[in-house]
Amino acid sequence: MSTVLQIIEIVLPLLYLGLTGLYARNFFDQEHEKRTARTGLYGLLGAHLGYLTLLGVAQHAWPLASMAEFLSVLSVSLTITYAITERAEEDSNTGMFFLGIASIFQVFSSVLMEDITTKTHPLLLENPIYGIHVAFTVLGFAALAVGALDAVMYILLSRQLKSRELGLFFRRLPPLIRLETMSRIATLTGIALLGVGLGLGHFVAIYILEDYNLWDPKIVIMDAAWAAYFVGFVVVKLRGLSGIRMGYLSLAAYLGLMLMMILSNLLTSSFHSFQP
Amino acid sequence: MSKMSTEIGAISFSHQNTTLAERDLLAFSSSEIEQSLPIFRDKLGGEVGILSTCNRTEFYASGACAPTLWEDVKDLVAGIKGVRPTRLPSPKQLYGADAARHLFRVSASLESLALGEDQILAQVKDAHEHILEAEKKSPILDQLFQLAVRAGKDVRTNTTLCQGNVSISSVSVELAKKIFGAFKRYTILLVGAGETGVNAGVHFKSAGAKDFIIVNRGQERGERVANQFDGEYMPLHRLSDACVRADIVVFATGAQHPLLDLESMRNIMRARRNRQILVIDISNPRNVDPRAGEPDGVFLYNIDHLEAIVQENLQERTDQIPLAENILDAYVQEWDAYLRARRVTPTIAALSKHFKSVRQQELDHFRNKVSEEEFALLEEFSKRMIKKLQHNPIIYMRKAASSNELRSEDLDLVIKLHGLLDDD
């Protein structure tokens, strides 16, 4: 089982990168048929979900015990979000962006993934509230990623329209207002989901963990990042910032959040190391 | 055996060889085409088709008249249009494969004034409909127009010749769509109630816009245009208020000084809470100070910017011409193959007639010599036999004609062997 999982962990990021390449080719050259990419997308989703199931079965627990597993679940959540969008909108031009970021998450996941024979999972994962906390947190991160991606597309299209050099982004991307709306809805959804996820995390920590410290740097960093997101959104709403400024803000906030998450996991190993 | 010409001829009056006044004079309405097709047909003794649009009037004919088409119809056209024949301009005259390729190029919009325009294909279909609705059948022109319609569709499907907008108004609508998507929820402000502004408004309305504000110096005309769009009239001094409410603003006035500057635009954007606004300035001289496009959320396009986009789109269409010509080559070849196959049709018909005649003679010979049941068997037997005897020669002639391998000597041999000339 361990060997099979290790092989999949090498193949999966390659499949993600290959599919991103396929979507990029379709984005730049519309002459290509789209069916191969769509089939590849569903194939990849099947493979990734199969991999997570296999991982869960092998360790007899939800595959959410480490940063690597968290990133892999984040990657598949983004891909599912994109697959639903592509089906609803009948438009595959945003695939390059969504799959690009999902690929990055999966590459990091595969690099950080430990061998299953040497890995143990926290007993905490058997607690249902803990599971809900993780699920909300992952979905929150995925929604914020979608918001940031829509913001990137908004910035690219807005800059082309402003400079009057109407190139590929003008031809391929959805209308500016739709990107702005999708980014706002995704960000708001992300803030709400992540808020619930963090709240449940506090609840689990207070009632289940014995050595819980509210001032643990990781908790402070994550709570501060969420609060910054929340306040930023309220300020944008109240002050009516322009679309492009909101786009930059959304992108910067997401990058900041990811950076804080990585730093807090790299620099401190106190609480929430994802290990028992 | 009669010999029928299958060649076609075409005469074309278009923007390439006539003035607008001459094209107006020569234009045939749909009812005029219906009425005059039988007259042309009687006069020429062959198949006739007429294609008439605002930019071209063309006559297509098949039969012996094809090479001298213009000489034959000139007086008739002059008579229908009520002018002296000498007043008619000289047409472009085409014959044979050149005439067929010309129609295919027309259908593919390669001959159009606006390269890649879409309307012409529907107009070719209309001309085809007129041919089909005529009392007398026109199999050759039917085939020609069928191929033309297919060629037009093929070029549109397999090239980007008809993609990208090539008029200022349609580019403006495309830009607005890229910012706002559907127009239903958005407000269009027309500054200036002249012809240019109204035309732009019509384009937005046909693209789905519902909410219009018209700002004009003259109240009476402004209100009239506002009524035309079921919109609201606002006087010129309330331009800033109107801009705060609108999402797409089209400036088309004769004002000699800017109506909107950077400071006004900043105030407008503050009042709009930075909601995006598309400003299209198609006035000459410009009505909007170029610096008014600086604030975030303002997308300002003037006539030069729009013209540059039109030229870029036109260039992209021009780049597709070689690809379109390659597609049309295949249709010209198909047309040639059809004509070659048609050339053996009279021989095949004569051969079939000859066999039937021989069969009938033999049946008559036995009619009163056998019982009714036996005669019925003879009928069935002879029918099956001549069918089998004809099969191979007919298939051979059709295939050889289609692949251009049939020599006239071969046809002569078939005719002589069966005495087909004597049958006539």
Side-chain angles (χ1 to χ4, degrees):
Chain A
M1 180 75 91
S2 169
T3 317
V4 174
L5 286 170
Q6 280 174 352
I7 291 170
I8 299 176
E9 278 152 19
I10 294 168
V11 172
L12 212 49
L14 294 176
L15 288 177
Y16 264 100
L17 291 170
L19 194 62
T20 306
L22 209 57
Y23 272 92
R25 187 197 66 173
N26 291 350
F27 181 86
F28 290 107
D29 185 359
Q30 296 278 291
E31 297 300 309
H32 289 289
E33 53 87 29
K34 311 278 191 300
R35 207 181 307 152
T36 315
R38 182 174 270 202
T39 310
L41 175 67
Y42 292 123
L44 177 67
L45 265 179
H48 200 152
L49 290 171
Y51 161 72
L52 290 173
T53 309
L54 214 58
L55 195 60
V57 168
Q59 60 190 21
H60 305 293
W62 292 106
L64 288 160
S66 65
M67 173 60 85
E69 289 170 6
F70 176 83
L71 286 173
S72 193
V73 175
L74 188 58
S75 172
V76 84
S77 305
L78 264 175
T79 311
I80 290 171
T81 308
Y82 170 68
I84 294 167
T85 314
E86 184 185 299
R87 209 175 175 85
E89 303 269 332
E90 283 295 322
D91 181 1
S92 61
N93 283 327
T94 55
M96 179 179 79
F97 299 91
F98 279 91
L99 290 166
I101 199 149
S103 300
I104 294 170
F105 289 145
Q106 188 51 46
V107 167
F108 276 107
S109 166
S110 289
V111 169
L112 297 172
M113 192 65 77
E114 295 167 52
D115 186 357
I116 192 158
T117 53
T118 61
K119 192 169 65 174
T120 52
H121 74 274
L123 291 173
L124 208 52
L125 277 179
E126 290 168 10
N127 184 303
I129 300 177
Y130 181 80
I132 298 170
H133 147 68
V134 176
F136 268 90
T137 309
V138 171
L139 288 174
F141 270 97
L144 290 176
V146 172
L149 278 176
D150 286 330
V152 168
M153 288 187 269
Y154 181 96
I155 292 165
L156 292 171
L157 180 56
S158 177
R159 285 170 69 96
Q160 281 207 338
L161 282 163
K162 193 83 179 164
S163 65
R164 303 174 193 102
E165 286 167 5
L166 308 179
L168 268 178
F169 298 125
F170 176 80
R171 279 184 222 137
R172 309 276 195 267
L173 293 182
L176 206 59
I177 295 283
R178 197 195 301 170
L179 287 172
E180 187 185 35
T181 309
M182 288 189 326
S183 176
R184 199 174 52 242
I185 291 171
T187 305
L188 188 62
T189 310
I191 290 171
L193 290 170
L194 193 59
V196 174
L198 292 178
L200 285 171
H202 285 295
F203 178 81
V204 171
I206 290 166
Y207 289 99
I208 296 171
L209 292 179
E210 289 163 4
D211 56 344
Y212 173 65
N213 173 15
L214 186 64
W215 299 107
D216 184 282
K218 275 189 185 168
I219 297 176
V220 172
I221 286 173
M222 284 315 294
D223 284 353
W226 179 84
Y229 236 115
F230 180 76
V231 171
F233 194 85
V234 172
V235 168
V236 165
K237 196 79 189 153
L238 290 177
R239 293 199 56 188
L241 289 185
S242 69
I244 192 98
R245 284 189 194 177
M246 201 183 136
Y248 281 122
L249 198 64
S250 180
L251 181 61
Y254 188 74
L255 291 176
L257 181 71
M258 291 308 288
L259 190 69
M260 279 190 183
M261 195 181 148
I262 292 165
L263 284 178
S264 66
N265 273 283
L266 287 177
L267 301 178
T268 64
S269 57
S270 54
F271 170 76
H272 211 314
S273 64
F274 291 108
Q275 298 298 322
Chain B
M1 192 181 62
S2 65
K3 284 204 172 183
M4 186 179 71
S5 171
T6 54
E7 280 301 356
I8 56 158
I11 51 178
S12 168
F13 301 94
S14 71
H15 58 94
Q16 292 169 347
N17 60 352
T18 55
T19 63
L20 183 61
E22 287 168 337
R23 291 200 295 282
D24 283 346
L25 172 72
L26 284 159
F28 278 69
S29 67
S30 185
S31 58
E32 276 181 321
I33 293 175
E34 258 172 52
Q35 287 161 14
S36 50
L37 267 183
I39 303 170
F40 278 112
R41 194 165 175 139
D42 287 347
K43 161 90 178 168
L44 298 172
E47 299 175 20
V48 181
I50 301 172
L51 169 66
S52 187
T53 74
C54 53
N55 269 321
R56 66 180 62 247
T57 294
E58 300 189 329
F59 298 85
Y60 292 85
S62 165
C65 58
T68 55
L69 185 55
W70 179 229
E71 286 73 29
D72 293 343
V73 299
K74 193 175 185 179
D75 291 343
L76 206 49
V77 172
I80 290 169
K81 291 295 166 189
V83 292
R84 281 199 302 273
T86 48
R87 270 203 63 200
L88 295 174
S90 297
K92 182 178 177 180
Q93 299 188 57
L94 299 132
Y95 183 68
D98 291 339
R101 176 175 275 279
H102 174 78
L103 179 62
F104 300 161
R105 283 177 57 85
V106 167
S107 182
S109 85
L110 289 173
E111 291 279 336
S112 296
L113 182 59
L115 180 69
E117 54 105 356
D118 258 337
Q119 278 185 325
I120 188 67
L121 183 58
Q123 290 159 335
V124 172
K125 280 182 191 168
D126 287 345
H128 186 204
E129 283 295 315
H130 282 302
I131 291 169
L132 294 177
E133 284 163 7
E135 202 176 312
K136 288 182 181 169
K137 286 187 176 173
S138 303
I140 296 172
L141 287 188
D142 174 23
Q143 176 69 16
L144 178 71
F145 275 77
Q146 272 188 47
L147 281 177
V149 171
R150 271 177 51 208
K153 283 181 183 170
D154 206 350
V155 165
R156 281 165 179 78
T157 309
N158 293 307
T159 71
T160 54
L161 187 77
C162 301
Q163 289 175 15
N165 291 303
V166 288
S167 75
I168 296 292
S169 294
S170 53
V171 164
S172 304
V173 171
E174 187 192 3
L175 272 171
K177 273 188 180 164
K178 208 62 201 180
I179 296 172
F180 298 101
F183 296 140
K184 259 187 210 164
R185 293 189 298 120
Y186 298 100
T187 303
I188 318 292
L189 166 60
L190 303 177
V191 185
E195 195 186 336
T196 313
V198 171
N199 278 345
V202 167
H203 267 82
F204 278 103
K205 192 167 186 176
S206 62
K210 302 253 182 253
D211 192 11
F212 285 87
I213 302 173
I214 284 77
V215 165
N216 194 48
R217 196 180 295 278
Q219 184 172 351
E220 194 186 332
R221 178 157 179 82
E223 283 178 342
R224 203 166 55 236
V225 173
N227 285 338
Q228 183 185 335
F229 289 101
D230 292 325
E232 179 189 346
Y233 166 74
M234 287 171 87
L236 191 59
H237 69 266
R238 290 191 59 204
L239 176 62
S240 290
D241 295 339
C243 285
V244 171
R245 277 176 53 193
D247 301 288
I248 298 155
V249 186
V250 181
F251 280 87
T253 81
Q256 296 299 305
H257 55 86
L259 299 174
L260 199 63
D261 59 15
L262 176 60
E263 200 44 46
S264 317
M265 188 50 98
R266 282 198 174 127
N267 291 333
I268 288 166
M269 289 309 282
R270 260 194 295 277
R272 294 173 61 84
R273 294 174 60 78
N274 293 309
R275 262 188 311 122
Q276 293 87 343
I277 185 168
L278 171 64
V279 182
I280 295 165
D281 183 5
I282 46 178
S283 318
N284 192 11
R286 284 178 290 191
N287 284 174
V288 183
D289 181 347
R291 289 185 311 148
E294 287 174 10
D296 282 343
V298 180
F299 301 97
L300 169 63
Y301 285 76
N302 64 32
I303 192 88
D304 291 339
H305 303 134
L306 298 172
E307 190 58 47
I309 297 168
V310 165
Q311 287 309 319
E312 204 174 299
N313 289 346
L314 265 178
Q315 186 54 51
E316 280 179 22
R317 288 186 176 195
T318 308
D319 293 344
Q320 292 291 307
I321 292 176
L323 198 57
E325 294 282 13
N326 282 345
I327 292 171
L328 297 187
D329 284 345
Y331 282 91
V332 174
Q333 281 174 16
E334 197 175 332
W335 170 248
D336 280 345
Y338 165 78
L339 283 186
R340 284 195 299 269
R342 262 199 82 87
R343 275 181 207 123
V344 297
T345 303
T347 310
I348 290 171
L351 188 66
S352 183
K353 192 177 162 193
H354 169 74
F355 274 94
K356 273 182 190 165
S357 157
V358 171
R359 172 178 172 254
Q360 200 53 53
Q361 282 171 24
E362 293 309 304
L363 282 173
D364 290 345
H365 181 73
F366 285 99
R367 189 177 295 275
N368 298 320
K369 294 178 180 171
V370 294
S371 67
E372 272 187 25
E373 290 80 15
E374 285 169 332
F375 188 75
L377 275 174
L378 276 178
E379 272 190 324
E380 181 62 21
F381 165 76
S382 58
K383 194 176 176 184
R384 289 170 67 100
M385 189 165 157
I386 64 158
K387 200 174 169 187
K388 289 199 170 170
L389 285 171
Q390 287 178 94
H391 180 77
N392 278 343
I394 288 174
I395 293 296
Y396 170 78
M397 280 191 284
R398 281 200 176 132
K399 275 190 180 169
S402 182
S403 58
N404 208 15
E405 287 168 2
L406 189 71
R407 298 167 303 168
S408 58
E409 299 95 291
D410 298 337
L411 275 183
D412 287 344
L413 186 64
V414 173
I415 291 164
K416 282 175 189 164
L417 272 176
H418 296 92
L420 301 183
L421 283 174
D422 303 336
D423 284 358
D424 278 353

